[in-house]
Amino acid sequence: MNTKSYFFQSFAIVALAFVAFIGFKQILPDKIFSDSKIDSKNVLIDSMLLESVAKDSLSLKGDSIEESERKLGEEKIIYDATEGIEFPSETFDNYKGYQYLISFYEKLYQLEKNSQGNVRIAYYGDSMTDGDLIVQDVRANYQERFGGNGVGFVPITSESSASRGSVKSLYSKNWKTQSYLNVKRPISPFGVNGHVFFANDKTNPTWVQYEAGLNKNSTSLDNPTLFYGRASKKGNVNFVIGKDTLRKSLIPNNLVNTLKVTSGSIKAFKANFIHADSIPIYGFNFDNGNGVHVDNFSQRGNSGLPISAFDASVMQAFNTNLKYDLIILHYGTNVLNYGTKNYFWYERGMKKTVNKIKESFPGVSILIISTADKSTKYEQEMKTDSAVVPLMKAQKRYALETESGFVNLYTLMGGDGSMVKWVDESPARANKDYTHFNQRGAKAIGRLLYDQLNKGYEEYKALREHRETVTDKRKTVRKTNTDSVSVIKDSVND
């Protein structure tokens, strides 16, 4: 074939492909393509991921990544003592970072020792924790040992509300919702769960209704409390509890405001919002005030990067009320499908996320949970996706560099090929998408996560008790020496 005919054939193929694309574009969903009339800068999740990939995914070559990992693997991680406690040194391969969870472990210790107080965990995740999967099992394990009743913070609306068993909720269809997943500049700041809701009640009633679930330790709605934001106009809300109606005012003077529905425990209630369309509504909290409480802030499609868009002052206001001791970041599912095994771009983005958490919740312990195993078909056989291990290592790197605890969920569930086993075994513990766990698998994962955290806690207790023993011995020695000096002085004076 001569050069000229080859050129025209190539041109014809390109032209045909372009015409086909234009034709298919008309019938494909609009959201796949950008529209010049839409403010693309207001799209958060896709733009953050894609821009990061475009700028940074090719910044380091494969050999640079391998060299970086080799150096990390050779370095020994030696910790500085915190309050006189120092965990044993680790390597990058076995990194867990219990040293960075000491403040969380101390709160657990005080709770266990005195049977009073409250320990609170915020669990941020993606579709892996949708419907309270995994989180409800972590919550159950902690409440079984340390006490506590209630499901924690619950949003006004949720795409997984119908499948969540730990609390039942219904709501009117006229709520206006803005999420940190797809809005960069919300009308009012996002709440602690990454959402803000507005009661669009000018034409139709706007309401939400909650009923206690069937899970142990969540069979009642304890101290139900509404959280809402700042606005220029007041509003009202009517709480319907059985045959009674409580009429209360919304006074939106502060960044974050609270309104208790009633004290104690109830089984269900309905909240009707009246003339409140300008007030940012965040959700309700349910807990009995003692023991451990775990809030599930799951969001399908989330990479974790949108958390960096939080307003730190608003989060600090939430923290004044909720007082978090541990924040868990469990992401990775939505980051595996970007055609790269170089996740330095994601590592850099998640460092910003962790730093925003530290700014928003000063002094809180942070735990990073890695991607689980995921399987993809290679030559007609399902195997671990080639991007899983590179992503897991990137997550471990930013956990180490931000001084966060780390759970390697990939190895915890069995490592290479484990997702295939979880899907194919009988009864199965994962779905046929070879990505997500079913109820049985989520329960197992929740237990694995709790067991690793608890192992660190037991090590902490041993180190703490050893520190106290050493301190007591030193006090005894000092007292003995002081007494001896006193005896000598008395003898001299005599």
Side-chain angles (χ1 to χ4, degrees):
M1 182 182 294
N2 60 42
T3 304
K4 183 178 289 188
S5 62
Y6 179 81
F7 170 80
F8 282 110
Q9 185 177 9
S10 300
F11 179 82
I13 292 172
V14 171
L16 183 61
F18 178 77
V19 172
F21 170 78
I22 295 299
F24 279 113
K25 183 178 185 294
Q26 304 305 314
I27 61 174
L28 289 173
D30 291 339
K31 66 180 181 180
I32 294 178
F33 306 98
S34 61
D35 189 324
S36 58
K37 296 180 181 179
I38 298 175
D39 180 8
S40 61
K41 294 181 179 179
N42 207 37
V43 178
L44 181 61
I45 180 66
D46 287 343
S47 62
M48 291 184 76
L49 277 173
L50 294 177
E51 286 172 11
S52 295
V53 173
K55 290 179 181 178
D56 298 325
S57 65
L58 299 178
S59 61
L60 288 177
K61 296 181 179 179
D63 54 355
S64 300
I65 298 172
E66 292 174 5
E67 177 66 15
S68 173
E69 290 176 354
R70 185 186 64 79
K71 289 179 179 179
L72 270 176
E74 292 174 352
E75 294 177 358
K76 208 168 190 180
I77 304 165
I78 300 175
Y79 299 109
D80 295 327
T82 302
E83 300 295 328
I85 293 175
E86 180 183 333
F87 276 87
S89 61
E90 297 182 283
T91 64
F92 181 73
D93 288 341
N94 67 6
Y95 176 71
K96 295 180 178 65
Y98 294 144
Q99 183 75 28
Y100 303 124
L101 304 180
I102 282 180
S103 62
F104 167 62
Y105 286 151
E106 176 61 20
K107 286 293 294 291
L108 281 179
Y109 181 83
Q110 293 300 330
L111 178 60
E112 185 175 34
K113 185 178 180 181
N114 303 317
S115 298
Q116 291 182 341
N118 178 32
V119 174
R120 195 172 199 99
I121 301 171
Y123 199 125
Y124 288 91
D126 50 28
S127 56
M128 298 295 276
T129 56
D130 197 46
D132 216 15
L133 289 178
I134 298 177
V135 181
Q136 64 186 356
D137 300 299
V138 172
R139 182 188 301 118
N141 282 305
Y142 269 111
Q143 292 183 337
E144 188 67 25
R145 177 171 178 182
F146 296 94
N149 199 73
V151 297
F153 197 97
V154 180
I156 296 296
T157 74
S158 170
E159 55 201 0
S160 65
S161 59
S163 62
R164 182 170 182 173
S166 54
V167 64
K168 301 174 184 178
S169 64
L170 296 171
Y171 46 85
S172 58
K173 301 303 180 183
N174 54 331
W175 281 98
K176 180 178 181 179
T177 304
Q178 292 195 314
S179 165
Y180 65 167
L181 202 67
N182 50 34
V183 175
K184 186 175 288 186
R185 294 182 296 276
I187 299 171
S188 293
F190 298 120
V192 68
N193 61 343
H195 293 75
V196 59
F197 306 91
F198 293 91
N200 189 16
D201 58 5
K202 289 185 177 179
T203 55
N204 295 303
T206 305
W207 54 269
V208 62
Q209 179 176 309
Y210 298 97
E211 181 182 348
L214 300 176
N215 294 14
K216 188 177 181 180
N217 299 320
S218 65
T219 55
S220 61
L221 302 176
D222 300 280
N223 299 315
T225 303
L226 171 67
F227 281 68
Y228 61 102
R230 175 178 286 168
S232 58
K233 296 180 181 179
K234 296 180 180 180
N236 297 289
V237 57
N238 292 342
F239 296 113
V240 181
I241 307 172
K243 296 181 180 180
D244 298 326
T245 299
L246 305 176
R247 294 176 174 83
K248 298 194 176 186
S249 298
L250 298 171
I251 305 174
N253 293 336
N254 303 313
L255 277 176
V256 175
N257 308 275
T258 61
L259 177 63
K260 183 169 286 190
V261 179
T262 184
S263 297
S265 300
I266 56 178
K267 289 292 184 181
F269 72 93
K270 183 177 183 179
N272 295 307
F273 290 83
I274 303 167
H275 305 305
D277 56 298
S278 65
I279 300 175
I281 308 295
Y282 294 124
F284 285 84
N285 179 59
F286 308 105
D287 72 63
N288 67 340
N290 293 309
V292 177
H293 301 102
V294 184
D295 300 335
N296 182 359
F297 299 141
S298 64
Q299 173 65 66
R300 297 175 191 174
N302 200 351
S303 66
L305 298 177
I307 291 176
S308 62
F310 274 170
D311 184 315
S313 58
V314 173
M315 294 304 110
Q316 290 167 13
F318 268 100
N319 199 40
T320 299
N321 289 282
L322 298 171
K323 298 178 175 61
Y324 288 105
D325 301 294
L326 176 68
I327 291 183
I328 297 175
L329 302 177
H330 184 171
Y331 295 106
T333 307
N334 302 292
V335 191
L336 286 168
N337 302 317
Y338 282 85
T340 178
K341 297 177 189 175
N342 178 349
Y343 286 102
F344 275 83
W345 59 272
Y346 184 62
E347 186 180 336
R348 279 189 283 269
M350 286 303 289
K351 285 181 189 175
K352 293 180 181 178
T353 288
V354 175
N355 288 333
K356 178 55 66 82
I357 291 291
K358 290 182 176 181
E359 179 188 2
S360 301
F361 307 93
V364 71
S365 295
I366 299 172
L367 177 72
I368 308 299
I369 297 179
S370 83
T371 180
D373 188 31
K374 174 185 176 179
S375 297
T376 300
K377 185 173 286 187
Y378 295 102
E379 297 179 354
Q380 304 306 309
E381 183 179 357
M382 297 301 295
K383 297 180 181 180
T384 290
D385 192 290
S386 60
V388 168
V389 173
L391 175 57
M392 176 272 290
K393 289 182 178 179
Q395 292 174 307
K396 189 187 295 187
R397 282 194 299 271
Y398 72 72
L400 174 60
E401 292 173 17
T402 59
E403 298 187 346
S404 304
F406 181 72
V407 174
N408 189 339
L409 186 53
Y410 165 70
T411 58
L412 203 61
M413 66 177 289
D416 186 60
S418 55
M419 182 56 77
V420 174
K421 294 177 183 177
W422 283 54
V423 171
D424 292 345
E425 66 187 4
S426 183
R429 291 189 288 177
N431 299 324
K432 288 292 185 180
D433 64 356
Y434 291 87
T435 301
H436 295 88
F437 302 104
N438 57 24
Q439 289 272 1
R440 187 178 292 104
K443 188 178 185 68
I445 292 297
R447 184 70 205 191
L448 288 171
L449 296 176
Y450 170 79
D451 285 347
Q452 179 171 320
L453 279 170
N454 190 58
K455 182 180 179 182
Y457 173 62
E458 294 298 336
E459 289 184 27
Y460 170 75
K461 285 204 302 182
L463 290 168
R464 194 185 193 284
E465 289 164 5
H466 174 71
R467 182 195 66 182
E468 291 178 348
T469 300
V470 171
T471 301
D472 289 342
K473 285 181 179 179
R474 288 174 179 170
K475 287 180 180 179
T476 301
V477 170
R478 283 197 297 268
K479 186 176 186 305
T480 302
N481 291 339
T482 301
D483 291 343
S484 298
V485 170
S486 297
V487 169
I488 292 171
K489 284 182 178 180
D490 290 342
S491 299
V492 170
N493 291 333
D494 291 342

